[in-house]
């Protein structure tokens, strides 16, 4: 059956004590509302998903733009019923089922939404809500059911009688309803006498009084329904999401040592038989191939690492590419737009930026290589520095295949060093070096025989 999803995300979230809208806070490497949009994708096409925005609407819409979902503005936050009513213009023509989700519940899974849709579709009811039992129901709407478990009404915490306050079956705020009945009856919701807000929850009593049946789908694990109100809950959600991600990766064939110490964003991909050591962090859209090793404390942000490559401990790498069987680190730094080609090796305290290190090339110790193209099998000696910046502009350096750059060389860009050439240790290279040449750019050594002995005798 066709399903339309509306995600309510217009609120500010006062208890976050933040200048940023609540749904933009991040857990598991994604904004809260991004998780909800992903889950919604299991039951609806992007063209049938609408997000109600209000607080920081532009920022929320920008974050979700890549998902291709629609947006509806709610300029004043007059309650969940009012929020849904804003969608009438865009979504009312869409038949089938209407699922309502909230933007601040990032743990809800695709499987649960599919179950909710299927239960509603096969029930003949006007709508189904997700309920759960919590030890402390304070603040939640209580679900009042009859002897058959059908829903009679939802009573908000503030409107509860002392008897109703004892009910610990709560409304998750997540519903799947017959779309035609919602759009026909939404305008019947009256402002709550206490708060003046239009409560979407009132639709249940309205439909029931028209003779419709309303059902509940009870979730045993309330964790999945965790709504984020404070930064403490934000941290809990982050912990749960990352644990789920690690579990999924381990089940798919990734080895993790001390997995609870490893941080992996939800969008990261890791291939079979890769080993991840303690304290590693894999962030953003990082993709790791098969049979790789990611060392302890390594931080990889938006990286691509091909199969068989090794990132040794405490390396920090961003927006770069490491080809098959290459080696990086320990203590290496790859800044954006770097390519370490097949079998190349980058050692400790080597920094590369916007640089290509050719196949089998090596830069083993203490170097800075910026804005450079380095050929295959070239060896960059310890302490080599490329001076890519003249104080105003950046310049490129090109080093051919099979070149030997002696230790402690300084290469002043722009400069070209031809294939199979040598640069003597300690050189300052300002002019191009032709293919097969030796370049020496340093003062000739002077030796004064017996100088030290004579000095000792004088004393
Ligand atoms: C709501 C339910 C309550 C349920 C609880 C579960 C109502 C009246 N009550 O209460 O039964 O137990 O969720 O967490 O619906 N929003 C808008 N525009 C508005 C108001 C809210 O977009 O004008 C959005 C918020 O950004 C939020 C969601 O709707 O994502 C829920 O609103 P919130 O104020 O948190 O509702 P609760 O009081 O928690
Ligand atoms: Ca809430």
């Amino acid at each position: 059956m066709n399903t339309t999803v509306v995600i309510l995300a217009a609120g500010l979230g006062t208890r976050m004590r933040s200048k940023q809208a609540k749904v933009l806070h991040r857990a598991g490497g994604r904004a809260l509302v991004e998780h909800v949009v992903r889950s919604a994708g299991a039951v609806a096409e992007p063209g049938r998903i609408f997000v109600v925005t209000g607080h920081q609407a532009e920022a929320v819409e920008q974050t979700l733009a890549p998902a291709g979902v629609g947006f509806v503005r709610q300029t004043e936050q007059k309650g969940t019923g009012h929020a849904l009513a804003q969608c009438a213009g865009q979504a009312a023509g869409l038949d089938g089922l209407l699922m309502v989700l909230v933007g601040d519940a990032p743990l809800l899974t695709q499987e649960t939404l599919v179950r909710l849709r299927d239960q509603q579709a096969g029930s003949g009811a006007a709508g189904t809500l997700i309920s759960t039992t919590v030890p402390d129901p304070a603040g939640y709407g209580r679900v009042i059911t009859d002897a058959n478990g059908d829903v009679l009404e939802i009573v908000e915490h503030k409107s509860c009688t002392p008897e109703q306050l004892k009910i610990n079956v709560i409304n998750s705020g997540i519903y799947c309803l017959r779309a035609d009945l919602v759009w026909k009856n939404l305008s019947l919701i009256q402002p709550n006498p206490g708060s003046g807000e239009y409560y979407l929850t009132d639709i249940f009593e309205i439909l029931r009084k028209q003779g419709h049946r309303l059902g509940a789908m009870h979730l045993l694990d309330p964790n999945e329904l965790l709504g984020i109100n404070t930064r403490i809950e934000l941290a809990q959600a982050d912990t749960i999401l990352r644990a789920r991600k690690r579990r999924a990766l381990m089940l798919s064939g990734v080895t993790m040592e001390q997995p609870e110490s490893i941080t992996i964003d939800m969008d990261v991909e890791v291939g079979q038989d890769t080993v991840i050591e303690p304290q590693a962090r894999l962030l953003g859209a990082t993709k790791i191939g098969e049979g790789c090793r990611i060392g302890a404390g390594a931080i990889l942000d938006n990286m691509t690492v091909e199969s068989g490559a090794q990132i040794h401990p405490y390396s920090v790498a961003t927006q770069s590419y490491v080809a098959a069987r290459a080696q990086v680190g320990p203590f290496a730094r790859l800044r954006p737009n770097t390519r370490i080609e097949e079998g190349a090796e980058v050692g400790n305290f080597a920094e590369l930026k916007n640089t290509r290190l050719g196949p089998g090339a090596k830069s083993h110790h203490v170097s800075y290589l910026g804005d450079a193209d380095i050929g295959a099998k070239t060896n960059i000696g310890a302490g080599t520095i490329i001076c890519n910046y003249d104080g105003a502009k950046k310049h490129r350096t090109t080093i051919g295949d099979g070149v030997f750059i002696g230790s402690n060389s300084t290469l002043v860009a722009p400069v070209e060093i031809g294939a199979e050439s040598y640069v003597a240790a300690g050189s300052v290279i300002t002019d191009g070096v032709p293919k097969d040449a030796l370049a020496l750019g340093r003062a000739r050594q002077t030796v004064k025989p017996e100088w030290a002995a004579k000095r000792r005798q004088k004393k």
Side-chain angles (χ1 to χ4, degrees):
M1 194 181 288
N2 279 332
T3 304
T4 303
V5 179
V6 171
I7 300 170
L8 307 182
L12 172 65
T14 322
R15 282 174 287 169
M16 291 296 281
R17 299 195 180 278
S18 175
K19 293 192 174 72
Q20 193 180 35
K22 176 164 76 176
V23 295
L24 290 178
H25 282 263
R26 299 177 85 80
R30 288 184 196 147
L32 297 180
V33 69
E34 284 182 273
H35 290 278
V36 183
V37 168
R38 297 263 180 156
S39 295
V43 293
E45 297 294 310
R48 287 185 80 131
I49 300 176
F50 298 92
V51 182
V52 180
T53 60
H55 277 284
Q56 293 172 22
E58 288 86 3
V60 176
E61 289 167 13
Q62 206 183 339
T63 301
L64 294 176
V69 297
F71 300 105
V72 175
R73 291 273 176 103
Q74 185 196 26
T75 38
E76 250 187 300
Q77 279 71 57
K78 294 197 225 163
T80 46
H82 179 259
L84 181 59
Q86 307 310 300
C87 302
Q90 283 194 52
L94 301 171
D95 60 339
L97 296 175
L98 175 69
M99 202 177 268
V100 181
L101 308 178
V102 290
D104 60 356
L107 300 178
L108 202 65
T109 62
Q110 297 200 331
E111 295 72 34
T112 298
L113 293 186
V114 168
R115 275 212 301 137
L116 174 65
R117 180 202 52 200
D118 292 348
Q119 178 169 334
Q120 166 56 29
S123 70
T128 306
L129 60 79
I130 298 183
S131 60
T132 192
T133 306
V134 293
D136 177 15
Y140 287 104
R142 309 300 205 280
V143 181
I144 317 291
T145 51
D146 66 13
N148 299 325
D150 286 348
V151 177
L152 297 175
E153 60 176 325
I154 303 163
V155 185
E156 289 307 298
H157 182 85
K158 282 183 184 152
S159 312
C160 280
T161 64
E163 274 307 298
Q164 289 170 332
L165 281 178
K166 291 183 198 149
I167 298 172
N168 57 4
V169 177
I170 59 112
N171 167 32
S172 65
I174 292 150
Y175 324 102
C176 185
L177 300 133
R178 266 177 54 189
D180 58 336
L181 293 176
V182 173
W183 301 122
K184 209 170 102 190
N185 292 291
L186 201 53
S187 59
L188 300 179
I189 294 176
Q190 297 299 312
N192 179 275
S195 65
E197 287 189 10
Y198 295 82
Y199 289 170
L200 178 57
T201 44
D202 288 352
I203 196 91
F204 278 75
E205 197 186 1
I206 290 170
L207 291 173
R208 201 247 310 158
K209 284 185 170 162
Q210 292 178 7
H212 293 287
R213 209 170 65 71
L214 292 132
M217 180 173 113
H218 198 79
L219 283 199
L220 291 177
D221 177 13
N223 259 339
E224 207 185 313
L225 302 171
L226 180 71
I228 310 307
N229 292 313
T230 68
R231 306 223 190 202
I232 294 170
E233 287 153 349
L234 184 70
Q236 283 170 352
D238 185 72
T239 301
I240 294 169
L241 286 163
R242 292 186 190 286
R244 273 189 199 165
K245 178 71 183 179
R246 290 191 303 261
R247 259 184 75 83
L249 287 175
M250 288 190 278
L251 287 172
S252 75
V254 176
T255 295
M256 295 188 198
E257 299 169 1
Q258 296 180 23
E260 55 296 332
S261 75
I262 296 170
T263 304
I264 305 182
D265 282 355
M266 303 308 282
D267 294 332
V268 169
E269 293 170 21
V270 186
Q272 205 175 34
D273 290 323
T274 284
V275 176
I276 307 175
E277 298 177 6
Q279 308 283 349
R281 290 171 64 82
L282 308 184
L283 309 174
T286 291
K287 282 191 180 57
I288 312 283
E290 297 185 355
C292 296
R293 179 171 276 272
I294 309 300
I299 303 176
L300 307 185
D301 187 1
N302 283 302
M303 286 291 299
T304 300
V305 177
E306 300 285 8
S307 294
Q310 302 207 359
I311 310 293
H312 298 293
Y314 304 105
S315 296
V316 178
T318 308
Q319 286 169 51
S320 291
Y321 175 85
V322 176
R325 289 173 295 283
Q327 307 246 359
V328 173
F331 300 104
R333 170 109 192 263
L334 305 185
R335 289 167 54 202
N337 201 24
T338 288
R339 285 184 73 87
I340 309 301
E341 300 290 4
E342 191 162 340
E345 294 175 16
V346 176
N348 35 228
F349 309 108
E351 174 180 341
L352 292 90
K353 186 217 77 173
N354 191 26
T355 285
R356 178 178 166 275
L357 188 63
K362 291 172 185 166
S363 178
H364 272 166
H365 336 266
V366 199
S367 56
Y368 173 63
L369 307 174
D371 301 308
D373 196 317
I374 299 166
K377 298 221 160 80
T378 284
N379 188 84
I380 306 290
T384 297
I385 303 290
I386 291 181
C387 308
N388 58 323
Y389 185 53
D390 64 10
K393 271 194 187 155
K394 303 274 167 67
H395 301 280
R396 284 205 74 81
T397 295
T398 306
I399 304 177
D401 293 346
V403 172
F404 180 92
I405 306 285
S407 292
N408 205 30
S409 293
T410 302
L411 312 178
V412 182
V415 68
E416 259 184 66
I417 299 175
E420 308 292 333
S421 63
Y422 277 68
V423 169
S427 293
V428 177
I429 300 296
T430 52
D431 301 325
V433 179
K435 182 173 186 297
D436 292 325
L438 165 68
L440 290 123
R442 65 188 186 213
R444 186 167 282 281
Q445 182 175 329
T446 315
V447 177
K448 300 186 175 177
E450 293 303 310
W451 182 90
K454 282 176 195 161
R455 184 166 183 266
R456 274 194 300 274
Q457 278 166 14
K458 269 191 216 160
K459 274 191 187 161

